[in-house]
């Protein structure tokens, strides 16, 4: 996974977490996140293109493969089903609570 796709995924997870706390239903969450996800995708796409034009990505085949990976990730995010979203959020929330608990316990040592 390239840095642009990874950055998109991290931002998408933050957007979904924020939407989960704000919106009352899963359908609303999916609808609410479409625009922010679109702009997050476009931001990463522009960063990738700028790096390609600046010569940081030398091989055009690598560039196009990276673009395809980013686009597939974007499509997966905007076409997520409500049940899959629920499972994904619960897993992310559990990881967050676990990490927070570890930090608290580490501070007590």
């Amino acid at each position: 996974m390239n840095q642009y796709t990874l950055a998109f995924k991290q931002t998408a997870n933050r957007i979904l977490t924020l939407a989960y706390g704000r919106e009352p239903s899963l359908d609303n969450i999916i609808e609410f996140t479409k625009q922010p996800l679109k702009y997050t995708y476009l931001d990463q796409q522009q960063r990738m293109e700028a790096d390609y034009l600046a010569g940081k990505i030398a091989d055009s085949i690598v560039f196009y493969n990276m673009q395809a990976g980013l686009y597939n990730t974007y499509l997966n995010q905007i076409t997520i089903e409500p049940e899959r979203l629920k499972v994904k959020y619960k897993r992310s929330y559990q990881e967050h609570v676990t990490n927070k608990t570890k930090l608290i316990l580490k501070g007590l040592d």
Side-chain angles (χ1 to χ4, degrees), residues 1-9 39-74:
M1 179 179 310
N2 61 62
Q3 68 187 28
Y4 309 100
T5 303
L6 182 61
F8 174 79
K9 281 185 149 188
Y39 290 110
T40 301
Y41 165 74
L42 291 173
D43 177 53
Q44 291 304 317
Q45 179 70 19
Q46 289 175 345
R47 289 172 194 258
M48 188 186 312
E49 288 175 359
D51 287 349
Y52 177 68
L53 294 173
K56 293 179 183 176
I57 303 170
D59 190 356
S60 61
I61 301 226
V62 171
F63 171 67
Y64 293 124
N65 281 334
M66 290 169 65
Q67 281 187 320
L70 179 61
Y71 188 65
N72 283 333
T73 304
Y74 168 67

Side-chain angles (χ1 to χ4, degrees), residues 13-91:
N13 283 336
R14 279 188 240 122
I15 290 168
L16 286 171
T17 302
L18 290 171
Y20 217 101
R22 181 174 186 231
E23 297 298 320
S25 74
L26 293 175
D27 290 331
N28 288 353
I29 290 170
I30 292 169
E31 197 57 39
F32 175 77
T33 59
K34 283 186 180 180
Q35 284 296 92
L37 289 173
K38 174 184 170 185
Y39 290 110
T40 301
Y41 165 74
L42 291 173
D43 177 53
Q44 291 304 317
Q45 179 70 19
Q46 289 175 345
R47 289 172 194 258
M48 188 186 312
E49 288 175 359
D51 287 349
Y52 177 68
L53 294 173
K56 293 179 183 176
I57 303 170
D59 190 356
S60 61
I61 301 226
V62 171
F63 171 67
Y64 293 124
N65 281 334
M66 290 169 65
Q67 281 187 320
L70 179 61
Y71 188 65
N72 283 333
T73 304
Y74 168 67
L75 286 179
N76 287 338
Q77 288 292 332
I78 64 169
T79 59
I80 194 165
E81 295 105 28
E83 285 305 311
R84 208 170 109 215
L85 177 63
K86 190 185 297 184
V87 170
K88 181 177 181 174
Y89 178 77
K90 283 182 182 178
R91 191 176 330 125

